[in-house]
Amino acid sequence: MRDKIQAALKLSKADYTEIRIEEKESARISYQGRDLENANAVIDKGGVVRCLSRKHGWGVATFNNLDDLKNKVEQAYQCALVAQSEEPIELGPIEVIEEHIQAVMKHDFRDVSMAAKKALVENYNNILLGSSDKIIDTNSVYVDSFSHVYFANSEGTYIEEERPSVVVATTAIARDGDNVQQSHESCGGPFGFEFAQDKEEMARTAARRAVELLGAKSVVGGQYPVVADQMLAGVFIHEAFGHLSESDFVYENPKAKEMMVLGRRFGRDILNVYDDGTIPGQRGTHRFDDEGTPTRHNDLIKDGILVGRLHSRETAAKMDEKVTGNARAVSYRFPPIVRMTNTAIENGTTSFQDMIKDIKLGIYACDAYGGETMLENFSFSSGYAYMIRDGRIAEMVKDVILSGNLFTTLQNIDAIGNDFKWLAVGGGCGKGKQAPLPVGMGAPHIRIQNVVIGGQ
Ligand SMILES: [Zn+2]
């Protein structure tokens, strides 16, 4: 493979050329209610050539047939020549690298039979179904994938990387009359089959919570102090702030450019936010991004001040900043774009008890069911929540929707917990048409004053 790729690169007429080839085998088994929804194994092979003509722009050719790479390079080059970039494109400098990164799995899932994988997810599904007669539907999913990625560019970099991934997700839907509630739990990471095992408690939690939500009252809308659990805090910082740190977005959006000025105060001194693609075992972790740039720790907010953003080689050069290792592609069907890796709010010093003890009436909001962000405005639904009354966690409430302005909300974070956690959840991030990209999120509990809560 290496000889083939390098021979094709040598013949390229472009100013810069890269070839990424991916061989991926994956298995997916899912149950919907009592029915096996699907059980399939897929082998997917393909590649992408990206050529840069500094004067014109990028040209991209994707393909499944790996023969005749030279011809694909020529096609990408021809595409580059008809591109119409408004300004010449430069690439931030990186070192030439040669690496072969092997996966470490305790129990390689490629050696596990489909029958054993099916038995695993069937067991979780049976736990959901058997937890209560109020559980009327379920969704239980097991997915593994093993990719062998080859990357080489015309500067001389050559990287081979094995990328394993395993995800288990369970959703329980409970009903009592017209009242229908659901709860979802998932986990995932760059591991072997062992990671998918022994997740019975996860299934039990999803089922128990769906049933508990049947008994929860809708929250009364209003302004409250909110304590967000690690999951909600992690999703919030990824969705509401992290995407604004992606420099392609900043560069292309005059409004975002105005907002994301380095040196601007975003929060109190206690707030620190970073993105780090080097954390062992997290879903967004790689030694190199999909342009061959080493990943690293990138501070985004330091002591409340915006200090950094995420770059590809192109955006780094455009904005005259350092490359950060954040050019990522979801598969060989796409060129890399600026993406987060593992994004986190740094650990603080306040204990959970101290965080809630002075709250007379507030909300403890946990988990997140997606949400919407529009530049600086966001709204998120929490998966489940509790009232805080007189410094104590009180009854469960549902339909908790948090909304607000990102800047006001970040300023209103007045306590950061000392209980930081990486959240090894399944799912992934979507941007452009590239979803789901595995990313990591982490946070401690955080307390936010004056959050607008819409109930039903
Ligand atoms: Zn995202």
Side-chain angles (χ1 to χ4, degrees):
M1 184 70 85
R2 179 173 186 165
D3 294 344
K4 254 170 128 180
I5 293 174
Q6 287 180 330
L9 281 173
K10 268 206 189 93
L11 293 176
S12 178
K13 290 174 256 169
D15 295 319
Y16 168 86
T17 306
E18 67 187 22
I19 298 177
R20 180 160 38 89
I21 286 170
E22 189 178 353
E23 296 167 340
K24 180 174 176 176
E25 36 186 312
S26 59
R28 181 190 170 89
I29 298 161
S30 69
Y31 277 86
Q32 171 103 51
R34 298 207 172 272
D35 302 326
L36 180 69
E37 192 180 39
N38 64 45
N40 47 38
V42 176
I43 292 178
D44 190 15
K45 269 188 195 185
V48 54
V49 178
R50 201 163 64 129
C51 283
L52 176 67
S53 156
R54 273 200 193 95
K55 206 165 79 186
H56 300 92
W58 290 104
V60 174
T62 61
F63 48 88
N64 289 102
N65 180 348
L66 304 182
D67 297 333
D68 202 8
L69 271 182
K70 290 166 201 168
N71 191 30
K72 276 124 194 174
V73 169
E74 181 59 25
Q75 277 177 358
Y77 179 58
Q78 293 303 326
C79 292
L81 291 182
V82 298
Q84 293 185 317
S85 176
E86 282 168 21
E87 51 195 299
I89 295 177
E90 299 296 334
L91 299 180
I94 56 170
E95 265 179 59
V96 172
I97 275 154
E98 216 182 296
E99 284 275 358
H100 191 153
I101 301 151
Q102 273 169 313
V104 185
M105 287 189 275
K106 273 200 202 116
H107 189 175
D108 191 330
F109 45 69
R110 292 171 299 172
D111 300 335
V112 178
S113 68
M114 274 306 257
K117 292 173 185 175
K118 175 175 176 267
L120 178 96
V121 66
E122 187 177 19
N123 174 39
Y124 299 150
N125 195 56
N126 284 339
I127 289 172
L128 295 175
L129 287 167
S131 292
S132 158
D133 53 11
K134 296 208 162 62
I135 303 286
I136 52 148
D137 203 2
T138 65
N139 189 230
S140 304
V141 185
Y142 166 91
V143 190
D144 65 38
S145 69
F146 187 93
S147 296
H148 194 129
V149 182
Y150 306 80
F151 173 88
N153 69 23
S154 51
E155 295 168 350
T157 282
Y158 181 82
I159 300 167
E160 274 187 47
E161 186 185 11
E162 294 176 342
R163 301 179 177 178
S165 162
V166 60
V167 170
V168 178
T170 54
T171 305
I173 298 168
R175 191 171 91 180
D176 187 4
D178 302 339
N179 184 3
V180 178
Q181 300 295 328
Q182 65 165 311
S183 188
H184 175 82
E185 288 281 314
S186 70
C187 63
F191 304 111
F193 191 65
E194 71 282 353
F195 184 79
Q197 293 175 302
D198 307 321
K199 295 290 184 265
E200 286 82 0
E201 196 49 42
M202 196 181 90
R204 279 184 210 113
T205 302
R208 185 173 57 235
R209 193 177 302 126
V211 173
E212 268 171 28
L213 278 164
L214 289 175
K217 286 209 174 106
S218 288
V219 71
V220 179
Q223 258 197 15
Y224 295 92
V226 167
V227 173
D229 78 338
Q230 290 102 334
M231 186 70 80
L232 179 59
V235 172
F236 167 74
I237 210 67
H238 170 104
E239 290 292 345
F241 170 75
H243 280 292
L244 293 177
S245 298
E246 294 167 340
S247 290
D248 48 352
F249 179 75
V250 178
Y251 191 79
E252 287 155 20
N253 270 277
K255 250 205 111 180
K257 236 180 189 168
E258 252 167 56
M259 275 161 46
M260 302 300 285
V261 176
L262 298 185
R264 176 175 177 181
R265 180 161 284 282
F266 268 54
R268 304 184 190 194
D269 286 346
I270 51 171
L271 184 66
N272 293 290
V273 178
Y274 61 90
D275 184 90
D276 191 334
T278 71
I279 311 284
Q282 294 308 313
R283 292 195 78 211
T285 298
H286 293 289
R287 288 268 303 284
F288 303 95
D289 73 1
D290 290 315
E291 290 184 316
T293 304
T295 57
R296 59 175 206 177
H297 178 101
N298 292 297
D299 286 321
L300 301 175
I301 297 177
K302 192 88 199 148
D303 304 327
I305 307 286
L306 187 72
V307 295
R309 48 187 155 227
L310 308 175
H311 284 296
S312 63
R313 294 185 68 183
E314 180 183 347
T315 63
K318 270 181 173 155
M319 297 174 89
D320 201 17
E321 291 172 12
K322 284 221 165 66
V323 290
T324 60
N326 288 88
R328 304 183 65 199
V330 76
S331 76
Y332 67 84
R333 291 180 179 83
F334 299 96
I337 54 175
V338 183
R339 304 297 294 256
M340 283 171 264
T341 59
N342 309 299
T343 314
I345 300 176
E346 207 174 288
N347 206 18
T349 54
T350 310
S351 73
F352 180 69
Q353 284 313 321
D354 282 346
M355 210 175 264
I356 62 170
K357 77 170 194 256
D358 298 325
I359 299 178
K360 271 203 83 63
L361 182 67
I363 288 168
Y364 178 34
C366 304
D367 202 356
Y369 274 145
E372 274 183 39
T373 56
M374 271 284 286
L375 272 175
E376 60 199 277
N377 295 309
F378 67 86
S379 102
F380 287 101
S381 300
S382 83
Y384 59 101
Y386 303 87
M387 295 306 297
I388 302 170
R389 296 184 190 279
D390 298 319
R392 282 161 196 253
I393 301 298
E395 77 277 12
M396 191 184 233
V397 283
K398 63 180 181 187
D399 305 325
V400 171
I401 300 165
L402 301 86
S403 60
N405 173 283
L406 171 69
F407 296 99
T408 321
T409 306
L410 289 176
Q411 283 288 351
N412 285 343
I413 297 176
D414 72 341
I416 299 203
N418 59 5
D419 48 8
F420 178 90
K421 219 163 64 170
W422 284 110
L423 311 155
V425 288
C429 171
K431 177 177 173 181
K433 292 189 182 86
Q434 299 198 41
L437 183 78
V439 291
M441 287 181 278
H445 278 93
I446 58 172
R447 184 174 66 203
I448 317 167
Q449 296 295 339
N450 303 322
V451 181
V452 176
I453 299 288
Q456 270 192 344

